[in-house]
Amino acid sequence: MKTTRRDFIRGGVSAFTVTFAAPAFISDLARAQGANRRNLVILYLSGGNDALSTLIPYQDSFYYSRRPTLAVPAGSVLQVGADASGKALGLHPRLTGLKQIFDAGHLAIIQRSGYSNSSRSHFLGTDIWSTANTTNTTGSGWLGRYLDQLPNPAPPLAGWSAVGTVPHSLIGNYVTAPAIPNPAGYAFLSPNTGTEATYSRNAMTSIASHLPAERPQVAFVAGTAQSAMSTLDQVAAVASYAGTVTYANNGLAQALKAVAGAMVQGIGTKVFWVQTGGFDTHSNQGTNAANGTYANNMATVGDSLLAFHNDMKNRGLLNDTCVLVFSEFGRRITENGSGGTDHGAAGVMMAMGGLVNGGLYGTAASLNPDPQNPTLENNGGDVTFETDFRSVYARVIDNWLGVDSTGLLYGNFRKSSLSFI
Amino acid sequence: MARTLPQIEHLLRRAGFGGSETELSDYGEMGYAAAVEALINFDPAASNAIDDFIRTPGYIGVTATRAFEPQTNITDTRQRWLFRMVHTPSPLQEKMALFWHNHFATGYNKIAGVVGPADGARLMDSRASRDPLGMNGQIELFRTMGLGKFTDLLTEVSKHASMAIWLDGRQNTRNSPQENFGREIIELFTMGVANYVETDVYAAARVFTGWNYTRTLPAGSAIANYTFQFNANQHEPAAKTFSFPIYSNGSKTIPARAQTQGLQDGIDLIVALAHHPETARRLARKLWTFFVSEVREPDAAFVESIAQVYLANDTDMKPVMRAVFNSPQFASAGSHFERYAWPVEFVVRSIKEIGFLGFSVSDTLTPLVNMGQTLYEPPDVSGWDTGTWWFSTGGMLARMNFAAQLVTNQKFNLRDLARPYRSSPESLITGFALSRLTIPMPDPDVYNALLTYVRAGGNWTGSETQLTNKAGGTVHLLAGSADYQFV
């Protein structure tokens, strides 16, 4: 898959050069910042989250017969009521943080989201979710296309990737987002001190602003250097942010703290990308063990989101943000012999924010392995999708970001029952 | 350091990690064709002996607050590999090891979680001749077999305990086949996505049921031995049918076999995958990307001709690599500086060109994390996202800052080397900095920015203070520039 990613980026490089070669844009930047404080935060659970352990159909007897060691006992789940089909559901017992948000009415859970002929490959699956295209996954990312249509040129921090690389979703045809895994380490070093260090910084800024049109690959790299130099001061302000709550010392919580800091500083970021891994649980999944892999993952996700939720609430910014949570696929219903689950199909998406209409959306699958069971596929092996993930994207794009989703998604995926925002 | 051999410099940047002054002169004297042969037919004894020079004067340093234990401490193992990259007499051996590390991308943490940190480090990269139990780690397989037959390499990597743990093959049993390894050996190690169907994955998982390892702990030893073991009673004996031919007669079915004979299932599949024409093309494309150009699409003629060499030589990588380096596409001046340097390539080349006396490879470890590349810890089994993907703002800042850190360390060495060029800012830039680094002549805008920098802070007199600040300062700016991020 890497070849295709590169293929795409090469195509985007010349366009990129043109944008960055454009004259200064201070007034545009100020306008984009002031217009609208709303942002979207993507929380990507990488590796293929086992949706059936996140939102548990604790009264489905097949859930227990097909998962003799991994099933969470009915008495342990955090009940969240029943969905439209009357199926009783509960959150993983370590999702106490999410349960609080759910009870506050700020969490929407969208069941059985995916697409037809779901890819079981991490890499192809991720590209499909990134491009919002199930047939051609070499193009720009859906969030990159959103950034592309911001008042041109977009502010350098319009997108913010809190991981070390810029995910495919955030790659646009014209705009690329910076990757800032650690705001505190985002500072410029010089071999000299005092005024000599200032000369170095000025010279590096000047060198990075040279974008040779005849060598677009060099222009691309110089563009990232230019973007780094131009965002140093704003990121330094974010790095110094102290939350109103304590954020745990793990990657996800710290990334969400940076998001909170960026919001409080008002630096104009429209889309944040944060992610947490460890969901490719082929073996020793540990849904029930106190220190099990999956149980710990759930605690990290739930607690980090609760910290962010409360911090933003305290700051009066909760209505300015919407967090969208998803993974590249769900996992096989029947557990394997390694105490884990293999790659499956449909998963679960979640949305969190002050203006989110909380509750359960969509209906749960019946886990009856009968090959005729319409809620399953792959001979009853995997959960089949009910809601196209692009319908969820469409709702967020139309109703939250305020842009026409049909353009960004190359089609009309609107689904009126998805009234979560 | 005169930079007058563009073809040899190009070859050493690609087949190795850049040339030191001595290497450039040695390989330059041989001429291009002989240099290629020397790189391919390296002397394993000489490259093994390089470890004896760790912690000796004249070489880059390593740092450990306790005993330096590269066999069993992963931080030290990392330092040792970087040391080898800087000083090896067999650059292509280490370069191929890096290529295969990305191809079979296996991560230390998961392995250490199962076998503990010491054996985890050994399973990643121990060297039999230096390991108390005589075991080779996975990366050592790449060093010793990376220029041999791919079929053999794929077989040994698949049998190695590191892989059995990394992709869960050790838990792949008859009653509950586990698909992780079966999927990736097809999707990532050989044919690639789009050339197989889901049922091939399920069949492959059943083929490899029973592939496992045995751990034996010698009396009184803190470290164990790990050897391949086929657990016949865990093997699924039924026939397995694929969507592509397994045998030369075109048969797509691995026949039902007695459990005790079941090891042959996996061998048959490995041989078939290694010899599949799509595997040949996929490897040829990966070689193009790693050795020739990331700026241009893999050239169709190149891919076909390399795939042909691969298949005609029974998957032997030595003739393949000879063909790569002797191809017109590789030799073309147009392909110079058309690869985005991986973080370790950037770091090792900077060290070789800027200087290393008094510097420790341990000071590269955190910067490499910030640039996005931790050796022995690829992000997932598909390896690192390379090319433009390295160049996030944070990653680029980390490169500029590593250059600053290295130059700060080498400041006085650089000042001394720059003395003959102190007469003018122009001489400092052109005579010194631009000949120190193998970098294309900068565009006028960049040159003028350098000139402005050297002149900033008062009239140029060539004083010791000016030379100390500006010699290193100029090298820092060049090494942190976009041009220097290409090899």
Side-chain angles (χ1 to χ4, degrees):
Chain A
M1 293 318 301
K2 281 183 286 184
T3 305
T4 54
R5 288 178 190 169
R6 259 195 304 274
D7 291 349
F8 151 68
I9 290 186
R10 260 196 305 276
V13 154
S14 29
F16 175 91
T17 311
V18 172
T19 305
F20 269 75
F25 42 80
I26 298 305
S27 59
D28 285 294
L29 191 152
R31 196 177 66 225
Q33 285 180 350
N36 191 336
R37 296 171 64 91
R38 277 187 183 179
N39 67 51
L40 174 66
V41 181
I42 301 295
L43 168 51
Y44 168 53
L45 311 177
S46 79
N49 174 38
D50 181 28
L52 291 172
S53 296
T54 306
L55 185 67
I56 297 159
Y58 64 91
Q59 289 182 349
D60 188 328
S61 61
F62 293 106
Y63 168 68
Y64 293 96
S65 60
R66 299 179 72 174
R67 294 193 162 195
T69 69
L70 289 183
V72 177
S76 303
V77 305
L78 308 174
Q79 296 183 14
V80 290
D83 66 19
S85 69
K87 194 127 186 167
L89 295 159
L91 292 170
H92 188 277
R94 296 290 290 281
L95 285 174
T96 48
L98 268 193
K99 176 67 163 50
Q100 283 188 48
I101 302 172
F102 186 88
D103 291 342
H106 295 152
L107 181 74
I109 304 175
I110 302 117
Q111 305 188 73
R112 281 209 285 146
S113 37
Y115 52 96
S116 60
N117 290 318
S118 183
S119 170
R120 269 78 170 170
S121 158
H122 292 293
F123 317 106
L124 184 56
T126 303
D127 282 335
I128 287 171
W129 282 77
S130 300
T131 54
N133 190 331
T134 56
T135 49
N136 176 3
T137 57
T138 60
S140 57
W142 68 290
L143 296 167
R145 296 195 289 274
Y146 166 71
L147 295 176
D148 278 344
Q149 57 77 55
L150 290 174
N152 191 26
L157 289 170
W160 175 308
S161 169
V163 291
T165 56
V166 182
H168 192 172
S169 295
L170 270 179
I171 304 264
N173 289 308
Y174 305 102
V175 173
T176 57
I180 308 170
N182 171 20
Y186 201 83
F188 180 78
L189 299 184
S190 163
N192 298 310
T193 53
T195 49
E196 282 296 327
T198 309
Y199 300 145
S200 283
R201 183 170 162 171
N202 293 344
M204 197 65 102
T205 304
S206 169
I207 289 170
S209 70
H210 174 65
L211 307 168
E214 74 289 357
R215 288 181 300 155
Q217 71 273 20
V218 177
F220 176 85
V221 170
T224 61
Q226 187 183 37
S227 163
M229 300 307 291
S230 68
T231 51
L232 289 169
D233 295 335
Q234 284 180 317
V235 176
V238 170
S240 64
Y241 174 70
T244 63
V245 300
T246 303
Y247 288 88
N249 189 23
N250 63 59
L252 176 58
Q254 291 300 311
L256 287 169
K257 183 184 178 190
V259 172
M263 287 178 67
V264 169
Q265 298 291 346
I267 60 172
T269 303
K270 308 296 290 180
V271 179
F272 295 92
W273 181 276
V274 299
Q275 74 181 58
T276 183
F279 286 91
D280 194 18
T281 47
H282 286 280
S283 60
N284 308 325
Q285 186 166 334
T287 43
N288 291 310
N291 243 333
T293 302
Y294 194 81
N296 285 343
N297 288 348
M298 289 293 97
T300 300
V301 169
D303 296 349
S304 303
L305 279 174
L306 181 66
F308 178 68
H309 173 274
N310 291 347
D311 194 17
M312 290 298 87
K313 194 172 154 206
N314 296 342
R315 295 279 185 186
L317 294 171
L318 191 59
N319 287 356
D320 287 342
T321 191
C322 173
V323 181
L324 186 65
V325 186
F326 56 81
S327 188
E328 69 265 33
F329 47 65
R331 304 191 77 85
R332 192 72 39 87
I333 299 168
T334 303
E335 68 182 50
N336 64 26
S338 326
T341 47
D342 290 321
H343 301 180
V348 63
M349 298 175 80
M350 294 186 274
M352 185 205 94
L355 296 178
V356 164
N357 302 312
L360 297 169
Y361 293 80
T363 61
S366 155
L367 302 184
N368 183 343
D370 180 351
Q372 304 305 314
N373 178 347
T375 62
L376 305 186
E377 64 188 59
N378 195 13
N379 286 318
D382 296 323
V383 174
T384 201
F385 84 108
E386 174 186 55
T387 295
D388 193 302
F389 71 102
R390 289 164 293 189
S391 299
V392 178
Y393 286 2
R395 189 79 190 185
V396 170
I397 294 167
D398 290 320
N399 287 34
W400 181 249
L401 298 175
V403 178
D404 183 350
S405 69
T406 60
L408 292 193
L409 300 178
Y410 306 131
N412 184 352
F413 292 95
R414 291 171 179 146
K415 186 173 174 181
S416 56
S417 61
L418 283 177
S419 53
F420 65 89
I421 201 159
Chain B
M1 193 182 299
R3 299 296 190 186
T4 53
L5 299 163
Q7 280 301 99
I8 296 288
E9 287 177 8
H10 170 61
L11 179 66
L12 289 178
R13 276 192 306 270
R14 299 291 174 81
F17 296 87
S20 68
E21 212 165 352
T22 321
E23 284 169 321
L24 283 173
S25 109
D26 289 354
Y27 286 101
E29 219 160 274
M30 291 178 203
Y32 187 86
V36 168
E37 288 307 312
L39 286 164
I40 289 176
N41 299 304
F42 60 84
D43 171 11
S47 43
N48 286 350
I50 197 66
D51 286 5
D52 296 335
F53 296 95
I54 294 175
R55 293 193 142 169
T56 63
Y59 293 81
I60 195 168
V62 299
T63 306
T65 52
R66 23 152 195 85
F68 182 68
E69 293 169 333
Q71 288 291 133
T72 50
N73 178 305
I74 196 70
T75 303
D76 295 353
T77 319
R78 266 184 201 114
Q79 295 194 63
R80 183 181 59 184
W81 197 1
L82 287 158
F83 178 94
R84 288 172 179 170
M85 288 178 186
V86 174
H87 292 299
T88 177
S90 314
L92 182 60
Q93 183 184 29
E94 300 301 336
K95 202 64 181 273
M96 290 307 292
L98 185 62
F99 174 81
W100 292 124
H101 181 31
N102 187 52
H103 184 81
F104 290 108
T106 300
Y108 160 80
N109 267 329
K110 180 169 176 176
I111 294 170
V114 173
V115 299
D119 282 349
R122 292 172 62 242
L123 284 173
M124 283 311 300
D125 198 7
S126 70
R127 172 169 284 174
S129 60
R130 289 171 189 267
D131 184 74
L133 302 179
M135 186 179 79
N136 270 333
Q138 189 192 66
I139 306 295
E140 192 65 14
L141 295 182
F142 303 153
R143 291 199 190 87
T144 53
M145 306 181 73
L147 282 173
K149 287 184 181 172
F150 180 70
T151 314
D152 297 339
L153 181 65
L154 182 62
T155 306
E156 290 312 308
V157 170
S158 302
K159 284 181 166 178
H160 199 265
S162 56
M163 189 58 74
I165 296 169
W166 173 238
L167 293 183
D168 303 313
R170 69 198 176 103
Q171 293 172 319
N172 183 16
T173 59
R174 181 180 182 186
N175 288 335
S176 295
Q178 218 275 9
E179 292 158 18
N180 206 3
F181 178 71
R183 178 183 304 278
E184 308 307 6
I185 193 175
I186 303 177
E187 175 179 335
L188 296 174
F189 301 160
T190 58
M191 301 180 348
V193 78
N195 294 306
Y196 67 93
V197 297
E198 251 334 89
T199 52
D200 290 330
V201 171
Y202 306 154
R206 290 187 292 122
V207 159
F208 290 108
T209 45
W211 282 48
N212 214 318
Y213 64 85
T214 304
R215 175 179 186 271
T216 41
L217 188 65
S221 171
I223 56 174
N225 225 342
Y226 297 82
T227 47
F228 176 72
Q229 178 175 312
F230 177 68
N231 292 336
N233 60 355
Q234 285 298 348
H235 183 71
E236 163 58 58
K240 294 102 183 164
T241 299
F242 290 83
S243 68
F244 50 86
I246 300 295
Y247 300 105
S248 51
N249 65 7
S251 166
K252 298 177 174 175
T253 299
I254 294 176
R257 287 190 169 107
Q259 277 187 317
T260 51
Q261 303 303 309
L263 175 59
Q264 192 59 37
D265 280 13
I267 303 298
D268 288 356
L269 180 59
I270 284 171
V271 169
L273 288 171
H275 288 82
H276 196 285
E278 290 302 335
T279 300
R281 289 193 193 98
R282 184 152 176 276
L283 284 174
R285 284 193 297 271
K286 287 190 91 162
L287 292 170
W288 170 275
T289 304
F290 190 65
F291 287 102
V292 183
S293 172
E294 284 179 299
V295 173
R296 285 170 293 130
E297 287 292 308
D299 179 87
F302 175 92
V303 170
E304 283 313 309
S305 106
I306 295 299
Q308 228 16 71
V309 173
Y310 170 88
L311 293 172
N313 286 281
D314 193 19
T315 79
D316 192 348
M317 293 303 296
K318 192 181 274 194
V320 167
M321 292 316 300
R322 180 180 289 120
V324 167
F325 296 131
N326 288 324
S327 70
Q329 293 91 342
F330 180 86
S332 152
S335 77
H336 293 194
F337 301 108
E338 280 204 337
R339 274 196 62 250
Y340 298 87
W342 291 15
V344 292
E345 291 181 292
F346 164 73
V347 161
V348 176
R349 174 187 172 207
S350 303
I351 288 169
K352 292 183 81 145
E353 295 186 356
I354 294 172
F356 49 76
L357 294 181
F359 194 67
S360 167
V361 276
S362 76
D363 290 331
T364 68
L365 298 178
T366 302
L368 280 167
V369 173
N370 294 334
M371 293 175 213
Q373 187 166 39
T374 305
L375 292 171
Y376 311 120
E377 210 65 79
D380 58 50
V381 62
S382 74
W384 285 279
D385 286 328
T386 57
T388 53
W389 290 89
W390 296 118
F391 293 93
S392 65
T393 46
M396 187 61 204
L397 194 58
R399 290 180 185 234
M400 295 189 271
N401 286 347
F402 174 73
Q405 191 187 334
L406 177 63
V407 164
T408 304
N409 178 276
Q410 295 294 308
K411 207 156 131 181
F412 298 101
N413 295 340
L414 292 169
R415 177 202 59 198
D416 295 349
L417 291 162
R419 282 212 182 91
Y421 308 96
R422 72 197 311 168
S423 61
S424 68
E426 290 82 355
S427 164
L428 182 73
I429 295 168
T430 311
F432 170 65
L434 283 173
S435 63
R436 187 93 205 139
L437 306 175
T438 66
I439 187 171
M441 194 60 197
D443 288 342
D445 286 1
V446 174
Y447 182 82
N448 289 333
L450 292 169
L451 208 50
T452 305
Y453 167 75
V454 177
R455 286 174 176 158
N459 284 339
W460 181 260
T461 60
S463 70
E464 281 295 282
T465 306
Q466 283 184 332
L467 209 53
T468 308
N469 288 335
K470 304 294 188 179
T474 310
V475 169
H476 164 231
L477 292 172
L478 280 172
S481 72
D483 272 320
Y484 198 69
Q485 311 313 315
F486 291 84
V487 292

